[in-house]
Amino acid sequence: MKQSLDYKLIFALAAVGIIWGTTFLGIRVAVETIPPWFVTSIRQGLAGLIMMTILLFKKELEWIGWENFKQQLIASVLMLVIANGFTTIAEQNIPSGLASVINALTPILIFLGSILFGLQKMSLKGFLGVIIGFSGVVFIFKDGLGSFLDVNYRTGMMFMGFAILAWAAGTIYTKTHANKSKNITLNLFYQFTIASCIQLVLASIFSPNPDFNSWSSKSIFAALYLSVFGSVIAFFCYNYALKHVTAVQVSILSYINTIIAVFLGWLLLDEVITVDFIIATALIILGVFIVNYKKKEKKAL
């Protein structure tokens, strides 16, 4: 008996793949004229307001208790303040395509962290995937470390390194400690609000006298796009997809994100794509695929 296509699921998966692929471009455009901590604070703040509006409409806005609040605070600091914030800072100094390729290593770091904390066992397949994935990073720098003499490039890569480590740590923490609350919207409201407040303080420290007149309409639109689409819509679609397919299947979308980000950087921002860069991207994506790949049991027809 044929199963009818779940068009909502197809839409959700497509939305996550495409939207999160465009966020690297959005960040790059936003930081052209807006200081990075202001970009992230606007992004998370508006997303938090949208979540609050939904919760008020559904009459579900409430205090979550100190234990759950502590868990949301840690997840927010790791994944939104550090990972998202540092990625935004990095894109002031490196191309959006390169940022997305480095970000594609996150599943490998999550795999290694899961082994370290006993959540997963090391396997030959996993080891092979890690080696291939990191060989892609080596390929990016195969012509030597000359690029690191450029202080801006060095700063950008350093912030991307911290960003992917924080995202991996946040994901592992969420898997092992997070409260299994049914109301994801409520938890997300707290995460977005906490992050926005912290990032606003950081913005006032690192950009104490912002020249709002210099903020271009293009950058402001990019920041709003990141909030509405990158944070709110993509998140809801991601969670809808997780209810219908496995996390491993959804993780395949990270390959689509990277390809879209690299393509858009080349198409709209004139970012250079070399043969070496394409090979490096392919190696990283292959490594992540090998780490995540699980054979599907054949069903009787």
Side-chain angles (χ1 to χ4, degrees):
M1 191 176 171
K2 283 187 177 179
Q3 278 190 320
S4 60
L5 284 172
D6 186 341
Y7 290 104
K8 286 183 181 177
L9 177 59
I10 292 168
F11 175 81
L13 290 168
V16 173
I18 294 166
I19 292 171
W20 277 349
T22 64
T23 52
F24 291 95
L25 173 71
I27 290 169
R28 183 73 175 167
V29 173
V31 296
E32 282 178 1
T33 61
I34 304 176
W37 287 119
F38 275 108
V39 172
T40 56
S41 183
I42 292 167
R43 176 178 179 175
Q44 316 307 351
L46 183 55
L49 283 172
I50 293 169
M51 291 299 176
M52 185 177 73
T53 304
I54 293 167
L55 290 165
L56 286 170
F57 180 75
K58 295 170 78 174
K59 296 181 180 177
E60 291 177 354
L61 185 62
E62 61 186 17
W63 171 241
I64 54 174
W66 285 111
E67 185 61 30
N68 193 8
F69 180 80
K70 183 190 78 173
Q71 291 165 357
Q72 301 313 317
L73 172 66
I74 293 170
S76 178
V77 169
L78 287 171
M79 302 179 86
L80 295 176
V81 176
I82 299 176
N84 183 256
F86 281 14
T87 299
T88 306
I89 292 171
E91 286 204 46
Q92 278 191 310
N93 302 299
I94 61 173
S96 61
L98 179 58
S100 71
V101 170
I102 300 301
N103 187 69
L105 286 168
T106 306
I108 290 179
L109 293 181
I110 292 169
F111 174 73
L112 292 173
S114 297
I115 291 167
L116 189 67
F117 289 95
L119 299 173
Q120 200 161 335
K121 288 183 179 179
M122 188 55 160
S123 63
L124 181 62
K125 176 178 73 71
F127 179 73
L128 181 65
V130 169
I131 295 298
I132 291 172
F134 280 108
S135 70
V137 178
V138 173
F139 211 91
I140 290 174
F141 309 120
K142 79 177 183 66
D143 293 327
L145 300 175
S147 297
F148 279 91
L149 295 175
D150 180 347
V151 67
N152 289 331
Y153 184 88
R154 188 168 66 240
T155 301
M157 293 303 286
M158 181 185 71
F159 274 109
M160 276 309 302
F162 284 126
I164 61 174
L165 282 169
W167 187 270
T171 302
I172 292 167
Y173 175 82
T174 302
K175 281 182 178 179
T176 52
H177 295 91
N179 190 294
K180 305 288 185 185
S181 171
K182 289 180 182 177
N183 197 336
I184 298 166
T185 309
L186 186 62
N187 284 347
L188 196 70
F189 160 71
Y190 279 95
Q191 283 191 31
F192 281 145
T193 305
I194 291 166
S196 182
C197 291
I198 294 171
Q199 288 163 340
L200 192 58
V201 171
L202 290 169
S204 65
I205 293 169
F206 292 103
S207 305
N209 300 302
D211 180 8
F212 296 111
N213 292 324
S214 69
W215 294 11
S216 71
S217 55
K218 191 168 72 168
S219 290
I220 292 168
F221 177 78
L224 295 177
Y225 174 84
L226 288 169
S227 180
V228 177
F229 288 88
S231 292
V232 177
I233 294 175
F235 173 83
F236 274 111
C237 290
Y238 183 75
N239 279 273
Y240 179 86
L242 279 178
K243 288 180 181 178
H244 295 79
V245 294
T246 66
V248 171
Q249 288 170 320
V250 176
S251 73
I252 292 169
L253 295 169
S254 65
Y255 319 141
I256 300 168
N257 297 161
T258 303
I259 293 164
I260 289 173
V262 170
F263 174 72
L264 289 176
W266 167 78
L267 181 69
L268 300 176
L269 299 178
D270 296 323
E271 294 178 358
V272 178
I273 298 179
T274 62
V275 174
D276 287 354
F277 188 77
I278 292 169
I279 293 170
T281 304
L283 285 169
I284 289 170
I285 289 174
L286 178 62
V288 173
F289 175 76
I290 291 171
V291 165
N292 280 338
Y293 179 73
K294 287 181 182 176
K295 282 184 179 177
K296 203 174 181 183
E297 291 180 10
K298 289 183 179 178
K299 292 180 181 177
L301 293 171

